[in-house]
Amino acid sequence: MKRRLNKIQKMQRFIIFLYLIIFIYFYIYQNQKSLPIVALILFILIYVAFKKRRIEKLRNATFNEIDIMSGEEFEEYLQVKFKDLGYKCKLTPRTADYGADLILKKFRVKKVVQAKRWKSIVGVEAIQQVVASMRYYKATEAMVVTNSYYSDNAKKLAMVNNVVLWDRRDIDKLIKEKYDSQCPSCGGKLVFRNGPYGEFIGCSNYPKCTYKEKI
């Protein structure tokens, strides 16, 4: 079961408190007829600002920050990063996720992702869970992402089931924004792509530019 974030709860409480103060101010000192509209606009502006700040903080997270994230924070971090890579990405429910934490869609490919923000080595259980989730979510591909590393048995099981594994080294690439850099050939944006031989980094100007990088 996923747990809520204390930081988010504190920020939400602060927003609600600020919203109430503004609401009371307009109620006492301003025209009451325009109060609901003004209050709604202020609430939307505060919410948008908070959300934008939250996304930027996750996008620029360092390894030290990632290593102390909760499981839910790590999933939100990956959601931001996968969206930067051009995926349509959504989080699964906090309970009864059936083995997947994120659902990715791109180029008519649907992928389930199991996120593991662990201090220890990730074992075969993560592979088993994400493989089981493929049928439930009707996905064609599966992936496990961790800030740690995988056991040899996990790697073997992933290979047999065609599960893509990202470990600490791949997270380091995300932090350094390797997948969001410029194409050295044409100056376009490098994006994450799927091909007949697996995943790779290619140019957004394809087919005009055929530059590729192995992952």
Side-chain angles (χ1 to χ4, degrees):
M1 179 181 294
K2 303 176 185 177
R3 60 186 179 86
R4 293 181 180 272
L5 309 178
N6 292 330
K7 292 181 181 179
I8 291 180
Q9 288 177 338
K10 291 179 181 179
M11 184 60 71
Q12 287 175 340
R13 290 173 183 175
F14 172 76
I15 290 175
I16 293 173
F17 176 73
L18 184 61
Y19 174 73
L20 288 174
I21 292 177
I22 296 172
F23 187 89
I24 293 172
Y25 171 80
F26 276 96
Y27 183 80
I28 296 174
Y29 296 103
Q30 304 298 323
N31 186 357
Q32 296 184 19
K33 292 182 179 180
S34 62
L35 174 62
I37 297 176
V38 174
L40 179 60
I41 293 174
L42 288 173
F43 179 78
I44 292 174
L45 290 175
I46 293 172
Y47 174 77
V48 170
F50 163 72
K51 188 174 182 180
K52 184 177 181 180
R53 183 179 178 182
R54 171 71 177 165
I55 290 174
E56 285 303 313
K57 185 177 181 180
L58 288 170
R59 179 178 285 120
N60 298 319
T62 63
F63 250 133
N64 289 335
E65 292 171 329
I66 292 172
D67 286 340
I68 61 174
M69 285 180 177
S70 67
E72 188 179 72
E73 282 179 309
F74 186 56
E75 293 165 16
E76 292 179 350
Y77 167 77
L78 293 178
Q79 182 184 33
V80 171
K81 287 298 186 177
F82 278 122
K83 284 184 175 180
D84 288 344
L85 297 177
Y87 283 96
K88 292 181 179 179
C89 179
K90 70 175 183 178
L91 298 172
T92 58
R94 289 175 179 172
T95 57
D97 58 22
Y98 298 99
D101 297 310
L102 301 99
I103 307 296
L104 309 181
K105 291 183 180 180
K106 189 176 182 182
F107 304 129
R108 297 182 180 180
V109 175
K110 190 174 185 181
K111 180 182 300 187
V112 287
V113 180
Q114 172 78 232
K116 293 293 184 185
R117 207 293 300 156
W118 280 12
K119 294 181 180 179
S120 57
I121 298 298
V122 178
V124 296
E125 294 83 4
I127 314 302
Q128 294 169 340
Q129 291 171 5
V130 78
V131 170
S133 73
M134 288 181 67
R135 178 171 293 184
Y136 179 81
Y137 290 105
K138 298 179 181 179
T140 54
E141 297 182 9
M143 183 178 190
V144 181
V145 183
T146 182
N147 66 314
S148 183
Y149 297 97
Y150 299 95
S151 67
D152 290 337
N153 288 339
K155 293 177 182 178
K156 292 177 182 177
L157 186 61
M159 184 178 297
V160 172
N161 288 278
N162 297 317
V163 175
V164 176
L165 299 181
W166 277 16
D167 60 18
R168 196 170 183 85
R169 291 164 293 188
D170 297 291
I171 297 296
D172 184 53
K173 293 177 184 178
L174 289 178
I175 293 174
K176 294 177 180 178
E177 296 184 346
K178 178 180 178 64
Y179 301 134
D180 197 30
S181 58
Q182 284 190 338
C183 173
S185 179
C186 71
K189 183 179 178 181
L190 293 181
V191 295
F192 196 74
R193 295 190 181 279
N194 288 303
Y197 301 103
E199 297 166 316
F200 65 95
I201 300 170
C203 182
S204 59
N205 291 328
Y206 178 85
K208 292 183 179 179
C209 178
T210 58
Y211 178 83
K212 296 180 181 179
E213 288 185 23
K214 292 182 179 180
I215 296 178

